[in-house]
């Protein structure tokens, strides 16, 4: 596969008549301006390349393995330095270049390389000979969205970051300080507002590209993060000398309410744009599973199409190969924790209780459980015949040992059991949904809860629960109980979609998430919960990622995040 990818890349570079250098450009590199900016086709290809920097979520280790969703069966520092709170400025594990490509696209240098490309395009856009002014405005709006996206990736990890609104060339001064967290949020929102205000994006139907709806959805996410506890209750940072870099040191109730108000407003405007929850099958478990296997649906807001021609190894079938059950050809690398499995409610809306239900733990559960997780005796189709998962069967993978047996739960979400012939067969054709309507409803509900609008929050939550076949949250549920229900609803609805890592941080509940990871064993007579990773622990420094020491050495104006040396 690598050879095939290399050949295609070479052909593309040749076809672009010498402009291949810009296809993977980092800050300080040069573009062939005469080739790219004087040709509308090449200039649009330049924008397509920026899109390719949007992180692919299914690497060798998934982001769920960095929190309480998954456990990797291949144990090394890429994951354990995160789950055991041992990151240092000299070793960022998953958050810098690593062999497993975990969090690839989130890394500091890669994000800034795409931001530089955005700035370069915006500087040249008016002089590019596009056929119409509308085309110029369309791509300009898209690039504002992309620049916001990559700044947001940095904001979510580091807080206030270096804001780049112009391209940096060789010989320029790299000694630029971090902007405050507030300035960072405002910069991102301004870019998103430019995309939202672009008339050229309002009618754009291609969901692989920026649209008004995608910009509104991302704006709701950014502002929700900005309004969250982590950036207003700064006691976790101790006596940090630069609190303006990590939040709002002079936060007031009015300021937080304004942020929640704008987050809710952006989500509400997105909700008016004709999206809807995918609901095509009366079997609610199958319906939820099928949601992620659609080529097109009204729930998709922003998607990425991955295939082996453009992405080498990283294609949409990758989770089947890496996370699928061994008895069906998978490596079971990222197995699902019982911590997450137990968060799925019973079908009647009551909390699941392992001790009370251990003799029959998988009957009568939230349909999203069977739509997301493979467990003992799950019905599973592959290669044209029916079978059921048996976690007591031999693993069939050499590196899985009795001491490192996984959790007994496997990821089902995203994996097609019908079309997929695992890694060496035909890739799944489905896109990955970067933003979907359910997240927007959840963002809206969270903002409403913060503003005391519980009825509106329940209505949004009940839309999601209704699609899942779950009973409505009663009007009697209020206050802290309703907030807890919301957080659990977000946890199970968006499982494995990259949100949990940041949710537990922005809500300041990470100590609850970084506890021993559990699984389940079965000996044909009873189920037993087991501890599969006892070493997980929490350190408050890990609310934010440390800035790599090599970056600080290059730029003496950079200030490190709190609690790191």
């Amino acid at each position: 596969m690598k050879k095939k990818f290399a050949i295609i890349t070479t052909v593309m570079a040749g076809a672009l008549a010498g402009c291949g250098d810009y296809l993977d450009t980092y800050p300080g590199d040069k573009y062939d301006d005469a080739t790219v900016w004087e040709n509308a086709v090449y200039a649009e290809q330049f924008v397509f390349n920026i899109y390719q920097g949007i992180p692919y979520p299914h690497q060798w280790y998934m982001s769920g393995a960095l929190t309480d969703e998954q456990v990797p069966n291949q144990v090394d520092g890429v994951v354990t330095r995160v789950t055991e709170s041992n990151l240092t400025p000299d070793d960022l594990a998953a958050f810098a270049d690593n062999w497993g490509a975990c969090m690839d696209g989130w890394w500091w240098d890669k994000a800034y390389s795409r931001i530089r490309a955005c700035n370069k395009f915006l500087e040249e856009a008016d002089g590019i000979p596009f056929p119409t002014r509308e085309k110029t405005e369309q791509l300009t709006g898209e690039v504002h969205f992309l620049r916001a996206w990559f700044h947001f990736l940095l904001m979510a990890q580091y807080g206030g970051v270096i804001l780049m609104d112009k391209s940096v060339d060789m010989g320029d001064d790299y000694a630029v300080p971090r902007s405050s967290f507030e300035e960072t949020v405002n910069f991102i929102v301004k870019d998103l507002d430019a995309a939202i205000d672009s008339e050229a994006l309002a009618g754009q139907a291609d969901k692989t590209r920026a649209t008004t709806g995608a910009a509104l959805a991302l704006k709701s996410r950014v502002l929700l993060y900005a309004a969250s506890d982590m950036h207003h209750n700064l006691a976790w940072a101790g006596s940090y000398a630069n609190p303006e870099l990590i939040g709002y040191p002079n936060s007031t109730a009015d300021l937080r309410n304004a942020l929640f108000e704008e987050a809710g407003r952006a989500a509400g405007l997105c909700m008016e744009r004709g999206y809807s929850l995918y609901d095509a099958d009366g079997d609610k478990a199958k319906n939820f599973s099928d949601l992620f296997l659609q080529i097109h649906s009204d729930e998709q807001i922003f998607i990425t199409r991955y295939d082996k021609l453009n992405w080498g190894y990283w294609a949409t079938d990758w989770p089947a190969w890496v996370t699928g059950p061994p008895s069906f050809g998978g490596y079971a690398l990222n197995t699902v924790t019982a911590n997450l499995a137990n968060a799925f409610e019973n079908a009647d809306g009551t909390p699941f209780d392992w001790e009370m239900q251990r003799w029959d733990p998988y009957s009568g559960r939230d349909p999203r459980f069977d739509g997301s997780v493979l467990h003992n005796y799950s019905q599973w189709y592959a290669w044209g015949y029916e079978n059921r998962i048996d976690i007591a069967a031999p693993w069939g993978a050499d590196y899985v040992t009795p001491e490192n047996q996984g959790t007994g739960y496997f990821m089902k979400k995203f994996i097609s059991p019908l079309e997929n012939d695992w890694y060496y067969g035909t890739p799944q054709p489905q896109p990955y949904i970067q933003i979907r309507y359910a997240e927007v409803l959840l963002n809206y509900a969270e903002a409403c809860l913060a503003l005391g609008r519980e009825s509106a929050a329940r209505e949004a939550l009940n839309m999601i629960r209704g699609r899942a076949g779950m009973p409505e949250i009663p009007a009697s549920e209020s206050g802290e109980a309703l907030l807890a229900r919301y957080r659990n609803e977000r946890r199970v609805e968006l499982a494995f979609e990259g949100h949990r890592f940041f949710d537990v941080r922005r809500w300041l509940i990470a100590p609850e998430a970084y506890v021993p990871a559990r699984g389940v064993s079965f000996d044909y007579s009873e189920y037993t919960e087991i501890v599969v990773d006892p070493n997980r622990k929490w350190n408050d420094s890990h609310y934010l990622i440390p800035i790599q020491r090599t970056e600080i050495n290059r730029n003496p104006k950079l200030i490190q995040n709190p609690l790191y040396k």
Side-chain angles (χ1 to χ4, degrees), residues 60 73-74 321-322 330-334 396-401 404-405:
W60 190 255
N73 288 329
Q74 184 168 317
W321 189 50
V322 173
Y331 279 2
L333 181 62
N334 299 279
D398 292 340
Y399 59 82
V400 179
T401 67
N404 184 23
Q405 62 180 324

Side-chain angles (χ1 to χ4, degrees), residues 1-2 4-9 12 52 305-315 427:
M1 285 297 177
K2 286 185 176 179
K4 180 179 179 182
F5 181 58
I7 292 171
I8 292 168
T9 304
M12 180 181 290
Q52 289 193 306
R305 298 195 185 281
Y306 296 101
D307 60 64
K308 289 192 173 71
L309 293 180
N310 295 324
W311 292 86
Y313 284 104
W314 315 133

Side-chain angles (χ1 to χ4, degrees), residues 200-323:
L201 298 191
Q204 183 150 275
D206 184 352
K207 294 180 181 180
T208 67
R209 304 175 74 155
T211 63
T212 304
L216 285 166
L218 182 57
K219 182 177 178 179
S220 75
R221 187 190 296 181
V222 170
L223 289 167
L224 200 64
Y225 276 45
S228 296
D229 292 339
M230 184 178 81
H231 300 298
H232 296 265
N233 303 332
L234 303 181
W236 64 268
S239 57
Y240 186 53
N242 298 94
E244 74 283 356
L245 297 179
I246 62 172
Y248 299 87
N250 300 312
S251 178
T252 64
D254 287 344
L255 171 61
R256 287 196 75 181
N257 286 344
L259 290 167
F260 279 121
E261 193 77 54
E262 285 303 302
R265 181 174 179 273
L269 289 172
C270 185
M271 290 159 60
E272 296 174 0
R273 298 197 63 81
Y275 302 107
S276 62
L277 296 171
Y278 177 79
D279 199 5
D281 197 305
D283 180 337
K284 294 305 180 183
K286 183 177 184 301
N287 184 76
F288 189 71
S289 182
D290 285 351
L291 156 63
F292 303 96
L293 304 179
Q294 303 305 303
I295 302 297
H296 306 284
S297 81
D298 288 339
E299 184 155 352
Q300 298 170 351
I301 295 178
F302 182 52
I303 62 176
T304 306
R305 298 195 185 281
Y306 296 101
D307 60 64
K308 289 192 173 71
L309 293 180
N310 295 324
W311 292 86
Y313 284 104
W314 315 133
T316 319
D317 58 326
W318 182 255
W321 189 50
V322 173
T323 70

Side-chain angles (χ1 to χ4, degrees), residues 59 70 103 122 141 166 193 211 288 309 345 361 395 427-428 517:
Q59 306 290 1
Q70 293 170 301
M103 300 301 286
L122 293 173
K166 62 180 180 178
D193 283 341
T211 63
F288 189 71
L309 293 180
E345 297 174 353
W395 281 83
Q428 289 181 202

Side-chain angles (χ1 to χ4, degrees), residues 73 82 85 87 106 128 204 214 239 254 320 322 372 378 399 425 427 512 564:
N73 288 329
V82 181
S85 292
L87 293 179
W106 290 80
I128 300 170
Q204 183 150 275
S239 57
D254 287 344
V322 173
S372 304
S378 286
Y399 59 82
E512 301 171 25
Y564 292 105

Side-chain angles (χ1 to χ4, degrees), residues 145-460:
F145 171 84
L146 289 166
R147 188 169 69 175
W149 186 283
F150 290 108
H151 274 106
F152 167 70
L153 298 186
L154 293 165
M155 182 203 93
Q157 298 173 88
Y158 300 101
V161 296
I162 299 170
L163 300 177
M164 303 298 293
D165 61 358
K166 62 180 180 178
S167 60
V168 178
D169 290 314
M170 191 71 71
D172 289 351
D173 184 7
Y174 296 125
V176 181
R178 295 170 64 181
S179 294
S180 71
F181 182 77
E182 182 174 12
E183 290 168 336
T184 300
V185 172
N186 292 343
F187 182 91
I188 295 169
V189 168
K190 184 178 179 181
D191 261 348
L192 290 171
D193 283 341
I196 292 165
D197 293 341
S198 171
E199 292 184 7
L201 298 191
Q204 183 150 275
D206 184 352
K207 294 180 181 180
T208 67
R209 304 175 74 155
T211 63
T212 304
L216 285 166
L218 182 57
K219 182 177 178 179
S220 75
R221 187 190 296 181
V222 170
L223 289 167
L224 200 64
Y225 276 45
S228 296
D229 292 339
M230 184 178 81
H231 300 298
H232 296 265
N233 303 332
L234 303 181
W236 64 268
S239 57
Y240 186 53
N242 298 94
E244 74 283 356
L245 297 179
I246 62 172
Y248 299 87
N250 300 312
S251 178
T252 64
D254 287 344
L255 171 61
R256 287 196 75 181
N257 286 344
L259 290 167
F260 279 121
E261 193 77 54
E262 285 303 302
R265 181 174 179 273
L269 289 172
C270 185
M271 290 159 60
E272 296 174 0
R273 298 197 63 81
Y275 302 107
S276 62
L277 296 171
Y278 177 79
D279 199 5
D281 197 305
D283 180 337
K284 294 305 180 183
K286 183 177 184 301
N287 184 76
F288 189 71
S289 182
D290 285 351
L291 156 63
F292 303 96
L293 304 179
Q294 303 305 303
I295 302 297
H296 306 284
S297 81
D298 288 339
E299 184 155 352
Q300 298 170 351
I301 295 178
F302 182 52
I303 62 176
T304 306
R305 298 195 185 281
Y306 296 101
D307 60 64
K308 289 192 173 71
L309 293 180
N310 295 324
W311 292 86
Y313 284 104
W314 315 133
T316 319
D317 58 326
W318 182 255
W321 189 50
V322 173
T323 70
S327 54
F328 287 92
Y331 279 2
L333 181 62
N334 299 279
T335 54
V336 179
T337 63
N339 310 54
L340 172 60
N342 293 350
F344 288 86
E345 297 174 353
N346 294 313
D348 62 2
T350 58
F352 173 75
D353 186 326
W354 173 264
E355 290 304 320
M356 295 293 293
Q357 299 176 236
R358 60 183 297 183
W359 303 107
D360 186 17
Y362 307 133
S363 297
R365 299 288 297 278
D366 181 335
R368 287 173 294 187
F369 178 58
D370 277 324
S372 304
V373 178
L374 292 169
H375 53 80
N376 201 42
Y377 297 137
S378 286
Q379 187 168 308
W380 189 238
Y381 294 82
W383 306 312
Y385 62 87
E386 180 179 350
N387 211 327
R388 292 179 182 271
I389 298 299
D390 184 351
I391 66 171
W395 281 83
D398 292 340
Y399 59 82
V400 179
T401 67
E403 293 76 28
N404 184 23
Q405 62 180 324
T407 64
Y409 294 112
F410 307 97
M411 189 178 76
K412 181 179 183 181
K413 200 173 194 176
F414 312 117
I415 301 175
S416 171
L418 297 177
E419 299 175 56
N420 196 293
D421 192 14
W422 310 112
Y423 180 70
Y424 295 103
T426 303
Q428 289 181 202
Q430 296 84 6
Y432 179 78
I433 308 175
Q434 301 282 358
I435 307 176
R436 62 186 178 97
Y437 186 55
E439 183 207 336
V440 174
L441 290 173
L442 288 163
N443 292 351
Y444 180 76
E446 185 171 341
C448 287
L449 285 174
L451 296 167
R453 300 168 189 164
E454 292 189 344
S455 178
R458 272 192 296 270
E459 183 178 356

